[in-house]
């Protein structure tokens, strides 16, 4: 007897990030690979107190099954946190925003449906969408935003796209942020071509100098699904995220959620609701911003110092967790990776983040997980690996 895989299973691929995370567990490796928040930012004491209070005041309910929509108090808190008027009835608590991506895929994608994505984009979203067998159309962009003529051309290519997936703030993997004028122009174009948007915003609160422009969803709630997460501002281990969907879509997303896991853990939802209750995030998030800003600066300084004489380019993200770099001509980040790991440093090659044309010279560096000392050492190791592998002319 043998098993026959479903068609969709052939479209499933291992996450390059998760595979590299295994390597980084080896002792001595400095990792710029995973988007793992700095453990220094985890509010262990606040959770210890919240945990005691939840068990004391609400223990049996916290240990019981709960509603698929999520805990009413947490849905109200999420709605109140968002910068536009949101009815808590439109908030669905998800098991990480990764689950939000999976639910969106199940509800909106048929085999062969066209789905527009930025090129590059978050590879975990590609991984969530791919099993539903969409046809991806990757739309080029630059530091400012999506290339609108490329978007119009993509829209004109075939049947209407089911949606475009967008990361306007401190994008994963490039760290880029869409400007205000680019948001306005993008929404005008999306309206003109009848394109719904799925906006993923796990990094929006992690700005360094000034808050990013308002979310796309705040301006067109009826044609946007908004995904958010507590992973980067509280703890990824709790697996708590949320989505905001227009009334016409919400029931189907809820049914997909019921089938996926009945509900997000009651205990975790109550813990977070308890932590949020007295405005904790308003005190906590500024400390994360300050830490990550200092770490970004440390990485920029280290790159300037260590990459001297090498034709490596990088950007200066205004927030979030990632910096995007490009190796000298003739190099390939995937080929460089084992040499870097040999020297004790890891990163994620850029190619898997591309659904369309991939630039093999690109790579993603997270500046938040490593300490400043590790950043200095890790970038020195990376530069040594680049020097060893660079074609002669560039070295
Ligand atoms: O809310 P959660 O924790 O499920 O986050 C998923 C997620 C959704 N959308 C974007 C744009 C994201 O960047 C993420 C999380 N990304 C991390 C990364 O490194 O790209 C996940 C790394 C952790 C892992 O795969 O183990």
């Amino acid at each position: 007897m043998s098993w026959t895989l479903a068609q969709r299973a052939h479209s499933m691929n291992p996450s390059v990030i998760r595979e590299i995370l295994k390597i980084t567990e080896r002792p001595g490796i400095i990792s710029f690979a995973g988007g793992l928040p700095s453990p220094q930012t985890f509010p262990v004491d606040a959770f210890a107190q919240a945990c005691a209070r939840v068990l004391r005041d609400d223990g049996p309910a916290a240990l019981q099954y709960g509603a698929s929509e999520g805990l009413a108090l947490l849905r109200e808190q999420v709605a109140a946190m968002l910068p536009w008027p949101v009815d808590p009835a439109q908030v669905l608590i998800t098991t990480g925003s990764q689950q939000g991506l999976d639910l969106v895929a199940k509800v909106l994608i048929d085999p062969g449906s066209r789905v527009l994505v930025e090129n590059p984009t978050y590879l975990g979203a590609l991984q969530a969408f791919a099993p539903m067998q969409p046809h991806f159309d990757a739309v080029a962009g630059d530091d400012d935003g999506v290339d609108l003529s490329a978007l119009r051309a993509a829209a004109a290519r075939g049947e209407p796209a089911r949606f475009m997936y967008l990361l306007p703030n401190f994008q994963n993997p490039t760290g880029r942020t869409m400007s205000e004028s680019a948001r306005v122009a993008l929404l005008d174009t999306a309206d003109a071509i009848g394109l719904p948007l799925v906006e993923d915003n796990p990094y929006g609160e992690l700005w360094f100098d000034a808050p990013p422009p308002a979310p796309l969803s705040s301006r067109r709630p009826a044609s946007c699904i908004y995904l958010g997460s507590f992973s980067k501002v509280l703890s990824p281990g709790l697996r708590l995220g949320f989505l905001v969907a227009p009334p016409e879509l919400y029931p189907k997303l809820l049914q997909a959620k019921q089938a996926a896991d009945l509900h997000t853990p009651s205990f975790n939802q109550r813990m977070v609701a308890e932590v949020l209750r007295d405005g904790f995030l308003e005190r906590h998030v500024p400390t994360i911003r300050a830490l990550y800003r200092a770490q970004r600066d440390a990485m920029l300084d280290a790159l300037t110092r260590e990459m001297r004489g090498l034709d490596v380019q990088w950007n200066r993200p205004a927030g979030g967790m990632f910096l995007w770099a490009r190796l000298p001509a003739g190099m390939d980040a995937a080929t460089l990776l084992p040499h870097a790991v040999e020297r004790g440093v890891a990163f994620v090659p850029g190619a898997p983040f591309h659904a369309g044309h991939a630039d093999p010279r690109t790579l993603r560096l997270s500046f938040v997980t490593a300490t400043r000392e590790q950043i200095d050492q890790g970038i020195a190791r990376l530069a040594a690996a680049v020097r060893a592998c660079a074609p002669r002319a560039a070295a």
Side-chain angles (χ1 to χ4, degrees), residues 15-19 21 33-37 94-101 121-125 127 165-167 169-173 200-203 227-232 235-242 321-322 348 353 364 366:
S15 155
V16 178
I17 303 175
R18 307 240 88 200
E19 294 300 307
L21 282 184
L36 309 186
T94 57
T95 305
S97 56
Q98 189 67 32
Q99 182 179 53
L101 295 168
T121 190
Y122 171 46
L123 78 86
Q127 204 186 13
Y165 170 69
L166 286 159
L167 285 147
N169 296 329
F170 321 125
Q171 199 226 27
N172 183 359
D200 193 4
N201 188 24
Y203 304 105
L227 305 177
S229 178
F230 289 106
S231 289
K232 318 295 178 177
S235 148
L238 289 171
R239 309 302 307 122
L240 261 184
F242 54 89
M321 305 187 8
F322 306 111
V348 186
F353 292 90
R364 187 188 84 172
S366 160

Side-chain angles (χ1 to χ4, degrees), residues 211-270:
L216 301 168
S217 305
S218 68
R219 310 156 197 241
R220 300 284 197 287
S223 54
C224 295
I225 298 176
Y226 179 88
L227 305 177
S229 178
F230 289 106
S231 289
K232 318 295 178 177
V233 291
L234 278 179
S235 148
L238 289 171
R239 309 302 307 122
L240 261 184
F242 54 89
L243 62 79
V244 181
E248 85 182 275
L249 279 184
Y250 191 92
K252 283 294 159 198
L253 290 162
L254 178 62
Q255 288 156 27
K257 165 83 182 161
Q258 288 167 351
D261 64 353
L262 303 180
H263 64 82
T264 294
S266 311
F267 185 69
N268 295 7
Q269 293 191 62
R270 277 182 169 73

